Amino acid sequence: MAPDRFGALWRSLEPIGRGTDGYHRFSWTYPDLACREWFAEEAADRGMSVETDGNGNLWAWLGDPALGDAVVTGSHFDSVPGGGGYDGALGIVSAFLALDVLADHGARPRRPIGVVAFAEEEGARFGVACLGSRLLTGALDPVRAAALTDRDGVNLPEAMKSGGVEPSLLGPDPQRLHRIGTFVELHIEQGRALSVPVGVASAIWPHGRWRLDLTGTGNHAGTTGMAHRHDPMLTFAYAVLAANKEARLHDALATIGRVSVEPGATNVIPSSVTAWLDARAPEQSTVDGLVTAITNRVTERAQRDGTTASVTPESVSPVTEFDTALRDRISGLLGGAPVLATGAGHDAGVLAAHVPTAMLFVRNPTGVSHAPDEYATDTDCAAGVDALAAVLEELACR
Ligand code: GLV
Ligand code: MN
Ligand code: MN
């Protein structure tokens, strides 16, 4: 595909949800709904039917999905706060363009082809990553999902309702899942692991999010002696350093990127601090050891601070090993495209536990992701479209 053909469709979506500090496309907010409208228009232009499932995932179909053994591709629209434009959206734009390449080739699909936009992949609004795909596959209890709230106290059903989706249908959807014969997600590569335009995923590292609840005693900053404080901010500060140190010792990754302090005033010793830990490593045993080590250190420090600490898992994903036969077939089809593992999570990792699943990665020249400077060239993106089209043709037309 000519890079400017990619660029033309890309730039029709690009402004939605973009601010001066990156993208803020949170599920069920105005930018997400605008992306969903864009999706419906692109699907209609291609003669596709569109449906939103009970979990808020958006599907477009070429052919009748009820026939089953469908080849489905897609990704997500939602972003992290201040995120890049490519994470997720690239997979959806590329999906529609890959269908255009198939049409240019006069390809005749023998199986239905679907394009999907999964809801709330980042977990930026409700805290659980891959919310839509987890609900679809039954990996997340709908009762737990319905109780999730955003930072303003709005719960998931209320948010979905505001987006025109009936929340009473939250939960596993085996009929819809069983229509899918193969799932392929194209995604921007999120480190600097790819030196050619397109690669194929081998695995997603085990990873997760844990909430740290640190409680102390609120008091006056001007009258409470240093020896008489129970300050959870100290426990928090120690937790940040402990996470960093233990990640290095375990040859793993740990990040504390979100914190909330109560009551949050300059002249008040905090009464509580809530922080969120993200931990990842190639092996599950390493992630388990890392989280245990951080928990032990924080618990011990809390005793010294006269505070309390608890660590609660919020969103945990085991390792994903993608279907090796499919991966090798795709790598071969793409002329020996490199095969690589990633530490980033994806809906494809959730789907892979149920249907043969593969991922294509598009080169990220700077390695920046989850930040405004995330970028891929139009030329590489167009190569990604061609690769995805070749994969869809192989899977759906032969
Ligand atoms: C998703 O982007 C994740 O890996 O956090
Ligand atoms: Mn992401
Ligand atoms: Mn993503």
Side-chain angles (χ1 to χ4, degrees):
M1 162 163 291
D4 58 354
R5 191 163 164 206
F6 168 82
L9 189 60
W10 180 252
R11 277 171 251 298
S12 71
L13 179 69
E14 201 177 27
I16 301 175
R18 185 176 55 189
T20 50
D21 59 346
Y23 283 85
H24 297 268
R25 283 180 183 156
F26 305 135
S27 59
W28 309 113
T29 62
Y30 172 75
D32 185 41
L33 300 179
C35 287
R36 286 166 180 268
E37 256 174 52
W38 176 95
F39 182 103
E41 282 166 19
E42 292 306 318
D45 285 352
R46 291 164 178 81
M48 303 174 85
S49 59
V50 176
E51 52 180 355
T52 304
D53 68 25
N55 296 305
N57 306 308
L58 187 56
W59 306 79
W61 290 105
L62 207 58
D64 180 1
L67 295 174
D69 198 22
V71 178
V72 178
T73 185
S75 192
H76 61 97
F77 282 124
D78 66 304
S79 76
V80 297
Y86 289 77
D87 179 352
L90 181 62
I92 298 172
V93 170
S94 301
F96 284 120
L97 289 173
L99 294 184
D100 295 347
V101 173
L102 292 196
D104 293 349
H105 290 178
R108 291 167 172 257
R110 292 154 52 108
R111 296 176 186 80
I113 301 183
V115 176
V116 63
F118 283 113
E120 178 90 0
E121 189 271 351
E122 299 288 6
R125 183 165 181 192
F126 292 103
V128 176
C130 301
L131 190 59
S133 56
R134 280 188 211 257
L135 280 164
L136 168 78
T137 57
L140 179 66
D141 178 2
V143 174
R144 184 184 160 212
L148 294 171
T149 53
D150 69 9
R151 295 173 202 214
D152 299 321
V154 177
N155 67 31
L156 177 64
E158 288 163 351
M160 290 176 72
K161 218 176 229 172
S162 74
V165 173
E166 187 43 59
S168 62
L169 299 174
L170 276 181
D173 193 344
Q175 209 181 351
R176 192 175 303 275
L177 183 61
H178 290 141
R179 291 171 176 174
I180 307 174
T182 317
F183 179 64
V184 183
E185 179 170 358
L186 178 147
H187 204 279
I188 187 169
E189 200 276 315
Q190 292 173 279
R192 218 183 280 184
L194 197 52
S195 56
V196 295
V198 178
V200 182
S202 56
I204 298 176
W205 289 4
H207 59 282
R209 302 173 184 191
W210 288 261
R211 194 183 69 244
L212 276 53
D213 291 299
L214 312 172
T215 310
T217 309
N219 215 331
H220 197 297
T223 58
T224 314
M226 299 309 280
H228 301 112
R229 299 181 176 208
H230 305 288
D231 184 350
M233 190 66 96
L234 296 181
T235 320
F236 165 70
Y238 183 82
V240 175
L241 296 175
N244 186 281
K245 176 146 194 177
E246 289 297 339
R248 290 165 189 272
L249 291 172
H250 284 79
D251 207 5
L253 303 173
T255 307
I256 295 183
R258 182 180 165 199
V259 60
S260 146
V261 180
E262 290 297 332
T266 308
N267 57 349
V268 181
I269 298 163
S271 55
S272 69
V273 176
T274 308
W276 284 263
L277 167 71
D278 179 306
R280 311 185 190 215
E283 305 289 337
Q284 186 66 52
S285 56
T286 311
V287 176
D288 294 344
L290 170 63
V291 174
T292 300
I294 295 169
T295 303
N296 290 344
R297 277 179 177 260
V298 173
T299 305
E300 189 271 331
R301 174 73 202 203
Q303 280 163 6
R304 282 193 276 144
D305 291 334
T307 58
T308 63
S310 70
V311 179
T312 309
E314 284 204 335
S315 176
V316 177
S317 303
V319 70
T320 299
E321 300 280 359
F322 288 111
D323 187 296
T324 46
L326 181 62
R327 174 198 83 191
D328 292 345
R329 186 172 162 203
I330 291 175
S331 171
L333 181 72
L334 302 179
V339 171
L340 57 150
T342 180
H346 301 285
D347 295 304
V350 177
L351 270 283
H354 302 271
V355 292
T357 296
M359 286 194 77
L360 299 179
F361 289 130
V362 171
R363 174 165 57 187
N364 179 332
T366 62
V368 173
S369 190
H370 282 185
D373 287 344
E374 180 185 75
Y375 171 69
T377 65
D378 283 1
T379 304
D380 283 356
C381 292
V385 170
D386 287 334
L388 181 60
V391 171
L392 296 182
E393 197 160 353
E394 168 80 6
L395 297 174
C397 304
R398 293 196 206 288

